[in-house]
Amino acid sequence: MHPFSYTRASDTREALDAGRDGGRYIAGGTTLVDLMRETVERPRTLVDISALPLRDIVVTRRGGLRVGALVRMAEAATHRGVRALYPVISQALELSASAQLRNMATIGGNIMQRTRCTYFRDVSADCNKREPGSGCAALHGVNRTHAILGTSDDCVATHPSDVAVAFTALEATVHLLGPDGKRTVPFADFLLKPGSTPNREQALRRGELITGVELPALPRPLKSGYLKVRDRQSYEFALTSAAVALHIRGGVIREAKVAAGGVGTVPWKLAAVERELIGRRPSEALWTKAAERAADGARPLRHNRFKVELLKRTVERQLRVAGGGK
Ligand code: SF4
């Protein structure tokens, strides 16, 4: 590990001052400390923000929920309001990481976590994300777990968060605070596709801090859930996943929110699937037809062609569950 200085911010102003000077924010530390040990990350200054008052989950005036950036994953997963209004969020969190990590890691840190591409974490390998311009060892290496959507010639790594997939499906908003004040960014615009700059992963300005994630009010009743397919049943990242929320009234699907994980360089909104669903009556044939669109635009790599079919089946199954089937 490289030497670094550590400062603990007692309020938001102190945190922003330190962040503007190039400090890296840390709270649960479940990703950043690992990466520092492996020398993948070498921050000069860590700014501990865990004392900031960002640990509330509140109902918004519009009837949605705002989850503070420092709410622990376990707290959010078991919160009564989250469970009642957005089961897809609870399920995505409970299927993430391990109990120990969920007790420590925060919502803000979860969406900021970095890829699990093994070449990114191996400092002897070429990796444009870690070392811009060095190349991408995964393109012609072992790429079974990598992305099939949103890739570029410079990076094909997946985003590892589960709850970010649910946030994408529900069209959440990220609340930010920086030296120039507050602003909000739609979740879909917050995480960046790699393009030619895979080292740039979030739409954050210098010194900006995530203060919370807002879930919109959605029409009720809303049936939602998260399905995660992985190589083993616990403490593993998704090969594919699907977050689905359906509002069905009068026997017709009025609203559909669908996104996929484990397949995109960012959590992948399945707009084509949503379009197939809206205005139609739930049926076995509809789930199958809509899920066929899940892999539109996919560009599989040598070792992950199986993800195309697996993604369609994952989406189809979760549509059926949310739509009231088995
Ligand atoms: Fe690095 Fe991305 Fe290539 Fe992995 S896929 S080696 S993270 S550039």
Side-chain angles (χ1 to χ4, degrees), residues 229 239-240 305-315:
V229 178
L239 288 170
T240 58
R305 290 183 194 285
F306 72 98
K307 282 194 175 187
V308 172
E309 186 60 27
L310 188 61
L311 170 61
K312 293 179 188 175
R313 294 188 191 197
T314 307
V315 171

Side-chain angles (χ1 to χ4, degrees), residues 47-267:
V47 184
D48 187 339
I49 57 169
S50 49
L52 301 190
L54 302 172
R55 293 195 64 168
D56 291 332
I57 300 178
V58 293
V59 177
T60 65
R61 259 182 292 169
R62 289 181 285 265
L65 272 189
R66 182 170 161 169
V67 183
L70 295 178
V71 173
R72 308 276 177 190
M73 289 170 69
E75 292 167 349
T78 54
H79 185 271
R80 274 175 56 187
V82 175
R83 272 200 192 286
L85 297 173
Y86 308 97
V88 62
I89 300 287
S90 289
Q91 291 171 20
L93 287 165
E94 285 174 343
L95 290 169
S96 303
S98 65
Q100 292 90 338
L101 287 167
R102 292 194 295 272
N103 283 332
M104 193 70 196
T106 64
I107 292 296
N110 183 295
I111 61 178
M112 289 292 290
Q113 69 181 293
R114 306 199 70 190
T115 182
R116 298 285 155 169
C117 171
T118 50
Y119 300 107
F120 171 72
R121 285 165 185 258
D122 173 359
V123 291
S124 67
D126 292 337
C127 173
N128 289 321
K129 191 181 277 299
R130 175 172 30 77
E131 204 66 55
S134 63
C136 171
L139 272 177
H140 303 291
V142 178
N143 46 39
R144 177 175 176 273
T145 60
H146 287 70
I148 57 174
L149 290 158
T151 56
S152 72
D153 291 342
D154 290 315
C155 183
V156 291
T158 54
H159 191 275
S161 168
D162 291 295
V163 76
V165 180
F167 288 154
T168 299
L170 296 177
E171 293 157 21
T173 303
V174 185
H175 287 249
L176 302 170
L177 178 64
D180 299 326
K182 296 179 184 175
R183 68 183 181 112
T184 56
V185 178
F187 201 85
D189 298 334
F190 181 70
L191 297 174
L192 304 178
K193 293 198 218 44
S196 58
T197 54
N199 54 310
R200 190 154 182 265
E201 297 175 340
Q202 301 90 15
L204 278 170
R205 297 176 186 154
R206 187 177 174 85
E208 266 185 333
L209 185 66
I210 302 172
T211 56
V213 177
E214 182 172 339
L215 300 162
L218 291 169
R220 304 284 158 182
L222 187 77
K223 288 196 171 176
S224 75
Y226 187 72
L227 176 64
K228 180 173 182 178
V229 178
R230 44 191 165 169
D231 281 328
R232 60 181 182 199
Q233 269 305 88
S234 93
Y235 198 23
E236 184 57 280
F237 293 90
L239 288 170
T240 58
S241 70
V244 172
L246 299 177
H247 169 54
I248 303 172
R249 189 167 42 83
V252 174
I253 300 169
R254 311 283 173 173
E255 290 243 18
K257 310 282 184 197
V258 188
V263 289
T265 51
V266 293

Side-chain angles (χ1 to χ4, degrees), residues 19-30:
R20 192 177 41 209
D21 294 340
R24 284 287 302 277
Y25 298 126
I26 186 167
T30 54

